[in-house]
């Protein structure tokens, strides 16, 4: 038994020389694991005569207490040392970015926005903008969502006094453009929108891009919309992607559809990301409802509209699984772009 105690004391001396958590855990197992020296020493007490047992048990118990105290101190010491090393490694001096040759193509959301805008500007769409603080008419009423319309419940709106609100989509810019521009209209708008939601796929502030085409007469049809969006989706995700249009409902378009693309994570075979359907929804679209034209005083016209979430396209394009990553300024993510 004295030989066993000597081995335990030698191991305790080694504790002070340990420099990393892996070695520390290995030493812990060798002493108090199922087959550890201290554990075995307690088990062997049954082989000692009664006169010596109490004294030896007290000695072993004291060695165990000493180990537990030294182990806790050593673990804290190693943890603080590793934290110091990590903080030094991750230390950021923004003034050194240029000196260190830091280059960036921009934030991933900015890159996606630029891709979208470049595509439609090449097709002679104008880039429009509108206020972030909107009134009820432009955000809801003119878009065929009168008071008490059930679609309003989907928006989770941030309201101010006097019916003012943070815009819940970029669609009000379409209304303002139709009120102030001459026909024909070919426009897109991109910018931040706001809703009361926050999780891995939703944020209180997010970005949308919407497009609108309006011309005199009734020759603008869903076929025109389908053609341009199929080409746009392949421009974003590649020529090998499959595109489908699925019937849907939006108050401001009729007929309406959601555009799906074949899941790029499982190659349309079905996985957890696409809920085993093989497809992922990327945007909504439709032929502009007549009530929207009536609200802005247009007659004898036809057109189509579409809208998409910039965050969603970015997540799918580059495989980012948490929307909140876009706003945490974590260089480990941002430097990839």
């Amino acid at each position: 038994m004295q030989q066993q105690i000597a081995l335990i004391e030698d191991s305790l001396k080694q504790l002070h020389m340990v420099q990393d958590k892996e070695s520390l855990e290995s030493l812990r197992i060798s002493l108090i694991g199922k087959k550890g020296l201290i554990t075995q020493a307690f088990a062997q007490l049954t082989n000692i005569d009664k006169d010596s047992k109490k004294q030896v048990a007290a000695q072993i118990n004291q060695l165990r207490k000493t180990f537990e105290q030294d182990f806790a101190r050593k673990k804290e010491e190693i943890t603080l040392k590793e934290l110091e090393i990590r903080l030094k490694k991750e230390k950021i001096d923004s003034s050194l970015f240029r000196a260190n040759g830091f280059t960036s193509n921009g934030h991933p959301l900015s890159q996606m926005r630029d891709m979208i805008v470049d595509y439609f500007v090449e097709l002679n769409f104008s880039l429009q903008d509108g206020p972030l603080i909107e009134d009820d008419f432009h955000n809801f009423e003119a878009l065929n969502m009168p008071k008490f319309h059930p679609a309003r419940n989907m928006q989770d709106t941030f309201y101010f006094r006097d019916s003012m609100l943070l815009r819940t989509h970029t669609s009000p810019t379409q209304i303002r453009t139709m009120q102030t521009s001459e026909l024909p209209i070919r426009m897109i708008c991109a910018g931040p929108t706001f809703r009361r939601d926050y999780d891995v796929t939703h944020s209180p502030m997010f970005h949308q891009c919407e497009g609108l085409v309006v011309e005199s007469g009734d020759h603008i049809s869903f076929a025109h919309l389908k053609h341009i969006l199929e080409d746009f989706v392949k421009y974003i995700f590649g020529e090998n992607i499959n595109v489908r249009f699925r019937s849907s409902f939006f108050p401001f378009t009729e007929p309406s559809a959601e555009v799906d693309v074949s899941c790029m994570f499982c190659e349309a075979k079905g996985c957890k990301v696409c809920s085993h359907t093989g497809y992922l929804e990327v945007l909504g679209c439709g032929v502009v409802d007549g009530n929207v034209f009536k609200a802005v005083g247009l007659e004898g016209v036809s057109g189509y509209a579409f809208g998409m979430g910039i965050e969603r396209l970015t997540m799918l394009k580059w495989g980012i699984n948490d929307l909140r990553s876009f706003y945490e300024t974590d260089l480990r993510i941002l430097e990839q772009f």
Side-chain angles (χ1 to χ4, degrees), residues 282-298:
V282 291
L283 59 89
C285 62
V287 175
V288 179
D289 192 287
N291 288 332
V292 175
F293 290 138
K294 189 180 298 184
V296 295
L298 291 178

Side-chain angles (χ1 to χ4, degrees), residues 299-329:
E299 297 181 356
V301 298
S302 59
Y304 62 76
F306 54 87
M308 65 202 78
I310 296 178
E311 276 87 348
R312 180 162 180 80
L313 292 183
T314 308
M315 292 172 75
L316 295 177
K317 172 74 174 178
W318 288 301
I320 300 172
N321 59 10
D322 192 332
L323 181 144
R324 293 169 293 192
S325 300
F326 294 132
Y327 307 109
E328 292 175 347
T329 62

Side-chain angles (χ1 to χ4, degrees), residues 214-226:
V214 181
E215 296 184 9
S216 299
D218 59 358
H219 61 279
I220 293 292
S221 69
F222 196 91
H224 298 95
L225 172 64
K226 185 172 183 291

Side-chain angles (χ1 to χ4, degrees), residues 155-173:
Q155 307 301 317
D156 297 320
T157 311
F158 289 101
Y159 281 102
F160 299 112
R161 296 178 180 177
D162 304 322
S163 299
M164 301 302 289
L165 49 93
L166 289 176
R167 67 181 185 185
T168 60
H169 43 191
T170 46
S171 301
T173 306

Side-chain angles (χ1 to χ4, degrees), residues 101-117:
F102 180 85
T103 59
S104 171
N105 293 322
H107 192 280
L109 294 180
S110 298
Q111 289 191 47
M112 178 55 69
R113 178 187 181 278
D114 291 344
M115 289 179 66
I116 297 170
V117 170

Side-chain angles (χ1 to χ4, degrees), residues 200-262:
V200 295
T201 57
H202 299 87
S203 172
M205 185 197 77
F206 57 102
H207 298 80
Q208 283 189 341
C209 183
E210 301 197 20
L212 174 72
V213 172
V214 181
E215 296 184 9
S216 299
D218 59 358
H219 61 279
I220 293 292
S221 69
F222 196 91
H224 298 95
L225 172 64
K226 185 172 183 291
H227 171 75
I228 195 171
L229 291 184
E230 282 183 340
D231 188 66
F232 166 73
V233 170
K234 290 181 180 291
Y235 161 79
I236 295 293
F237 295 107
E239 289 294 328
N240 294 328
I241 209 80
N242 293 322
V243 185
R244 74 177 185 185
F245 287 73
R246 179 167 41 84
S247 179
S248 187
F249 168 78
F250 303 109
F252 30 83
T253 55
E254 179 58 40
S256 304
E258 290 184 348
V259 180
D260 299 336
V261 298
S262 53

